[in-house]
Amino acid sequence: MGGAVPAGARAPVSLSPSRANDFMQCPLLYRFRVIDRLPEKPSEAATRGTLVHAVLERLFDAPAAERTVPRAKELLPGQWAKLLQARPELAELFAGDPEGARLARWLGEAEALVERWFTLEDPTRLEPAERELFVEAELDSGLRLRGVIDRVDVAPTGEVRIVDYKTGKAPRPEYRDGALFQMTFYALVVWRLKGVIPRRLQLVYLGSGEVLTYDPVEADLRRVERRLLALWDAIAHATATGDWRPRPTKLCGWCDHQEHCPEFGGTPPVYPLPVLPSQRSG
């Protein structure tokens, strides 16, 4: 296939933790999200997570002594209004809720998650160096890594802690390596940008009230870098050949793209990029 590339379609130019996870979960899902940019319906769970993150970010605008549970709860309605203003399509989540019961329950669930955070960390004793920090670094190979870190704490001694809030439950021990992938990704970016290996990576699970920490060393970051380079090579090969294969798992039941997936009898959109069958990324 040659000719002009359709408007909106583009070859991948960078890698984030979420898109890396997409490809590892299902290459075809990655294609749908990154190349085809197929629309997805908003979900209550994801939107609740966005709202909780916004509240925890804005809470640190207040002086330390005022970072209380009541103050955090007061932020919820305003942050929900701002979210709706920025993304009006989110109103569809509660379109069939004329009495507002579902919305009230959903906001109550968000409030409970925010309140639980206070049992895990004490915001009156924290002064984040950064909140919702966008980071981007280019490796020697030319691969660009990017992402948004929820919070960066810097100790008086200069030690760096990267913190990420999760509104779900902590994974079982056998799945924790996967959970830490995102954090070691961020640690690699910070190392490449600042020349400093973060002292601690911290995942705060509001759904189960647990905190998972890991102290990375240089070997960890070099290992994740090699993994990302191999992943990017696979993405480049799929991009060049148009060979994006589905990888069926139990997660397929939650996928918005079943109508386009061969595993469900669907047909993917016409591949919008030029295909070079003989090309192999080095």
Side-chain angles (χ1 to χ4, degrees):
M1 291 170 57
V5 175
R10 65 176 183 180
V13 296
S14 63
L15 197 59
S16 68
S18 55
R19 297 294 79 85
N21 276 319
D22 284 345
F23 188 84
M24 290 186 289
Q25 176 186 324
C26 174
L28 187 59
L29 174 64
Y30 177 97
R31 178 201 147 170
F32 288 159
R33 285 179 167 169
V34 175
I35 296 177
D36 299 293
R37 298 188 186 182
L38 297 182
E40 297 183 350
K41 298 176 183 177
S43 74
E44 289 189 15
T47 305
R48 183 170 53 241
T50 301
L51 175 60
V52 170
H53 276 73
V55 169
L56 298 186
E57 179 190 3
R58 293 275 65 86
L59 183 66
F60 285 102
D61 291 340
E66 297 177 20
R67 298 171 195 161
T68 63
V69 172
R71 177 66 174 262
K73 290 181 178 180
E74 289 173 2
L75 289 172
L76 274 164
Q79 291 304 312
W80 173 231
K82 287 182 179 180
L83 197 54
L84 277 176
Q85 184 177 15
R87 297 175 57 192
E89 71 275 11
L90 295 180
E92 300 172 12
L93 288 170
F94 305 103
D97 184 32
E99 301 299 322
R102 280 181 48 227
L103 175 59
R105 183 179 68 250
W106 180 82
L107 287 171
E109 292 167 350
E111 184 177 283
L113 292 171
V114 169
E115 188 169 2
R116 182 172 289 149
W117 176 62
F118 284 82
T119 69
L120 303 173
E121 296 191 288
D122 181 358
T124 67
R125 301 181 64 183
L126 296 170
E127 290 298 339
E130 300 286 353
R131 290 172 278 157
E132 294 295 313
L133 175 67
F134 174 78
V135 291
E136 183 176 42
E138 184 170 317
L139 304 182
D140 294 340
S141 65
L143 170 58
R144 272 194 290 165
L145 304 178
R146 60 187 353 181
V148 178
I149 300 174
D150 288 345
R151 198 179 85 219
V152 179
D153 300 330
V154 179
T157 56
E159 293 179 318
V160 174
R161 177 172 64 183
I162 295 176
V163 181
D164 195 73
Y165 308 122
K166 299 294 185 185
T167 49
K169 296 180 179 180
R172 296 201 302 266
E174 61 266 32
Y175 296 115
R176 289 192 173 178
D177 286 347
L180 285 169
F181 169 74
Q182 174 187 5
M183 302 302 283
T184 51
F185 182 110
Y186 289 148
L188 172 63
V189 175
V190 170
W191 183 37
R192 292 306 187 198
L193 280 175
K194 306 291 186 181
V196 175
I197 296 176
R199 174 69 177 82
R200 172 154 294 181
L201 310 177
Q202 181 165 302
L203 284 160
V204 182
Y205 287 94
L206 305 177
S208 55
E210 298 174 67
V211 176
L212 175 62
T213 62
Y214 185 75
D215 297 341
V217 296
E218 184 174 328
D220 296 324
L221 304 190
R222 292 194 181 279
R223 185 162 49 249
V224 77
E225 183 172 10
R226 290 193 298 270
R227 182 180 179 186
L228 290 171
L229 290 174
L231 188 66
W232 189 245
D233 184 66
I235 291 171
H237 177 63
T239 303
T241 62
D243 184 9
W244 301 91
R245 302 184 184 184
R247 183 175 297 142
T249 68
K250 61 183 180 180
L251 297 175
C252 292
W254 286 273
C255 183
D256 279 346
H257 307 299
Q258 293 180 10
E259 64 178 304
H260 298 295
C261 180
E263 293 295 321
F264 291 86
T267 302
V270 174
Y271 190 57
L273 300 178
V275 173
L276 305 173
S278 63
Q279 180 171 320
R280 172 72 190 185
S281 173

